[in-house]
Amino acid sequence: MKSISFYLSKPFKEGVDWSDVRTLKKAGKSIAKILNDRSTTIILCLTFTGRKLIRVNTHEKIMPIYWSFDSKSVKPNMHGSLELNDRLQFLKAEVTRQYRKAITTNRNITLPQIKLLVESVLADTVPDFDRKPFIDCFKEFIEERKPQMNKLTTIKYESILNVILKWMETRNINSKHFYCDNVDEDFEFSFKNYLIEERKITNNTIAKYLESIRTFMRVARKRGIHNTAAFEDFAINRTKREVIWLDEDELGKIIKYAPTETHLKRTKLALMFMIYTGQRYLDYKKMKRRSIVVNADGTMDWELYQRKGTKTAKISIPLVKQAVDILIELGFEKMQPDDYVLPIPCNQFMNRSIKDLCEFAGIDSEVTIIRTVGSQRIEQHFKKFQVISCHTARKTWVSLSMQRGLGMDYLTSVTGHQNPKVLRASYLGLSEKARREAINDAWKEK
């Protein structure tokens, strides 16, 4: 086979032939007036030596005004051009692949047999036992790693899988004929557009999706499922998010506030303990009396196993006096080894209670949250108590500890972060008051 290309079945109006087209082009005139004003079929043409041709109907139609006769593809100004060009390029690649397989097993294959093969490819009826579709490989990837992955990580990958299936549905892509080799720059462009235009997903979330897809593709490449590296060049853009934390004044307001409702009293104790220790919600949920170690000098440590992804590390967190006082108030000394220490409900209820507690304590300064969807910048304005959650306590511990002079090595030893840059970017908040004082001090008259 010499080449594969596409052309239109009836590109011109009745009575017009290619000699008329050549005449207009030589004169430097547009051929738009002689183009067929109705949709026409795109034909796939295989050329062999000896001027032998095979023509097959792709069952795709297009208005000739949107067809590039030079590149034999759809012009970008047509709505859906990217998807249609993707479809044509897939057909071209798949026909080539199936043709090579056919002549490898049968050197004497005839043109009629090749035409039947091509028609089968275009009708999506050619079975492919050599490689699995992308979706099947992704599902296997999730199932194989379920015993090793955190439950939330598994949910994240399953969510991404569903989003990819929705993208395929909107782009009329047959999931059985989309392979790992198709995860390239065209996929990136189309997938990003879908997430931005149709799902209104922020750039940070898109970055997480692409990072997860890249992780899967690297694993698949190591296992010999594909041999492409185009996914390594995916543009993963993040915008810095606002760090929500409680400064010294706001912490003081919560300490002074004395709730009367029982559930808010429990919420205050739990929140304060979280602020004094800087861990994640699930760590507090699983915290038992046996994990509290009383040292010979009377100090206390909390021993826990931090889990990040598939990695687990045992650490010992020194409990400051304020945290110890809370444990004493909770009566931990009388608890049995397997009793849970903190009166902490489910995450959703805990977050609602924290918001109520902070509202009543007067944590109501204005907060602006900026989200970026594609090139669009969206500002949302809240009262601070509306955006506070369990994780705010962790960010508060990091920010106040740094402000009070705790070094980065000590900070990361408690939070479990291996990369200090991640800690600074996502957890460290700056006090506007301290920043203002530092700048004024730097510029005051000497």
Side-chain angles (χ1 to χ4, degrees):
M1 182 171 63
K2 291 178 65 176
S3 65
I4 298 180
S5 60
F6 298 96
Y7 71 90
L8 301 186
S9 175
K10 296 180 180 179
F12 307 115
K13 294 178 179 178
E14 290 291 335
V16 177
D17 57 32
W18 279 100
S19 62
D20 300 319
V21 177
R22 286 191 287 270
T23 301
L24 287 173
K25 286 191 172 183
K26 278 185 179 180
K29 296 181 179 179
S30 171
I31 63 171
K33 292 182 179 180
I34 63 172
L35 292 176
N36 191 349
D37 53 8
R38 295 183 179 181
S39 296
T40 186
T41 306
I42 301 175
I43 303 296
L44 184 146
C45 181
L46 288 75
T47 306
F48 298 85
T49 54
R51 300 177 65 84
K52 295 176 181 178
L53 303 175
I54 291 178
R55 299 180 180 88
V56 182
N57 187 341
T58 66
H59 303 287
E60 301 286 353
K61 288 188 174 183
I62 188 175
M63 293 284 288
I65 193 172
Y66 294 121
W67 182 256
S68 171
F69 292 91
D70 294 327
S71 64
K72 295 181 175 57
S73 62
V74 185
K75 292 179 180 178
N77 62 335
M78 187 192 89
H79 178 70
S81 62
L82 179 66
E83 291 75 21
L84 183 51
N85 277 327
D86 281 348
R87 170 68 176 162
L88 296 179
Q89 289 307 309
F90 167 76
L91 292 177
K92 186 175 180 179
E94 191 63 12
V95 166
T96 303
R97 198 172 71 84
Q98 294 293 348
Y99 170 76
R100 287 174 179 169
K101 284 176 62 178
I103 62 172
T104 300
T105 56
N106 180 12
R107 288 284 179 182
N108 298 318
I109 190 170
T110 64
L111 289 181
Q113 289 173 326
I114 294 173
K115 185 171 183 179
L116 283 174
L117 176 66
V118 175
E119 288 174 344
S120 298
V121 171
L122 269 59
D124 291 336
T125 57
V126 177
D128 192 335
F129 304 106
D130 295 342
R131 57 177 178 169
K132 292 180 181 178
F134 172 88
I135 293 298
D136 291 350
C137 294
F138 204 101
K139 286 179 180 177
E140 288 181 5
F141 169 79
I142 295 172
E143 289 300 318
E144 287 176 356
R145 281 156 181 75
K146 265 187 181 179
Q148 304 172 28
M149 288 193 300
N150 185 293
K151 185 178 179 181
L152 292 176
T153 305
T154 301
I155 293 172
K156 177 185 73 173
Y157 276 108
E158 289 174 341
S159 173
I160 293 168
L161 179 65
N162 289 330
V163 171
I164 293 173
L165 285 169
K166 288 290 184 183
W167 166 75
M168 289 181 173
E169 185 180 325
T170 61
R171 299 301 190 260
N172 295 319
I173 294 173
N174 188 333
S175 63
K176 294 181 180 179
H177 297 98
F178 185 88
Y179 303 97
C180 291
D181 306 86
N182 300 122
V183 181
D184 52 17
E185 59 273 13
D186 291 331
F187 161 81
E188 179 195 9
F189 184 81
S190 177
F191 188 56
K192 276 185 177 178
N193 276 356
Y194 165 72
L195 295 177
I196 293 168
E197 295 173 0
E198 298 181 42
R199 297 184 73 96
K200 310 300 180 185
I201 290 178
T202 65
N203 293 358
N204 286 350
T205 303
I206 292 173
K208 289 180 182 179
Y209 284 0
L210 293 180
E211 283 173 348
S212 298
I213 292 171
R214 191 158 64 181
T215 298
F216 157 71
M217 289 293 289
R218 284 173 177 166
V219 172
R221 185 171 58 186
K222 284 182 180 178
R223 300 180 68 175
I225 295 174
H226 67 87
N227 194 33
T228 181
F231 61 90
E232 297 286 4
D233 296 325
F234 285 177
I236 298 177
N237 303 315
R238 292 180 182 272
T239 53
K240 191 177 185 306
R241 298 176 64 179
E242 181 76 19
V243 177
I244 305 299
W245 63 291
L246 300 169
D247 61 27
E248 296 281 7
D249 294 337
E250 291 166 333
L251 180 59
K253 288 181 179 180
I254 295 176
I255 293 172
K256 290 177 183 177
Y257 174 62
T260 56
E261 296 182 11
T262 303
H263 80 281
L264 287 182
K265 288 180 180 179
R266 292 198 298 264
T267 299
K268 178 182 175 180
L269 289 174
L271 177 62
M272 296 307 299
F273 188 84
M274 294 163 79
I275 289 173
Y276 293 135
T277 50
Q279 298 307 301
R280 298 179 180 88
Y281 166 81
L282 285 177
D283 295 322
Y284 298 107
K285 187 75 174 172
K286 298 176 182 178
M287 183 182 181
K288 293 184 178 181
R289 168 64 184 86
R290 67 170 64 253
S291 61
I292 304 297
V293 178
V294 180
N295 301 313
D297 60 359
T299 59
M300 294 186 190
D301 296 331
W302 172 22
E303 291 186 348
L304 76 152
Y305 289 88
Q306 282 184 340
R307 184 169 182 178
K308 182 68 174 175
T310 59
K311 298 177 182 178
T312 303
K314 181 180 179 180
I315 67 166
S316 180
I317 301 171
L319 297 180
V320 297
K321 181 182 181 303
Q322 297 93 320
V324 172
D325 290 343
I326 291 173
L327 292 181
I328 292 172
E329 187 174 348
L330 291 170
F332 89 102
E333 292 167 319
K334 297 179 181 179
M335 293 179 181
Q336 296 300 311
D338 287 323
D339 287 346
Y340 290 101
V341 176
L342 284 183
I344 186 168
C346 71
N347 201 358
Q348 292 83 355
F349 185 81
M350 183 65 181
N351 284 333
R352 287 198 298 270
S353 296
I354 288 175
K355 287 176 171 58
D356 291 341
L357 176 73
C358 291
E359 181 181 8
F360 298 144
I363 315 299
D364 56 3
S365 59
E366 294 289 335
V367 174
T368 299
I369 304 295
I370 298 174
R371 299 165 64 244
T372 308
V373 179
S375 59
Q376 186 180 8
R377 184 174 180 270
I378 302 171
E379 286 190 9
Q380 294 177 297
H381 305 283
F382 302 93
K383 295 290 186 181
K384 192 166 187 177
F385 67 83
Q386 295 176 309
V387 292
I388 292 176
S389 65
C390 292
H391 215 54
T392 304
R394 183 166 164 85
K395 296 177 182 180
T396 298
W397 183 87
V398 171
S399 302
L400 292 183
S401 296
M402 175 72 84
Q403 191 172 297
R404 295 180 182 201
L406 193 63
M408 184 58 71
D409 289 342
Y410 291 114
L411 282 171
T412 54
S413 72
V414 171
T415 62
H417 288 90
Q418 296 180 350
N419 188 349
K421 290 182 179 178
V422 175
L423 184 68
R424 287 183 180 276
S426 302
Y427 289 85
L428 183 59
L430 295 176
S431 167
E432 288 299 317
K433 181 180 177 182
R435 189 169 69 94
R436 189 180 304 108
E437 289 175 354
I439 292 173
N440 287 328
D441 184 61
W443 285 90
K444 70 182 180 182
E445 294 292 335
K446 303 297 182 183

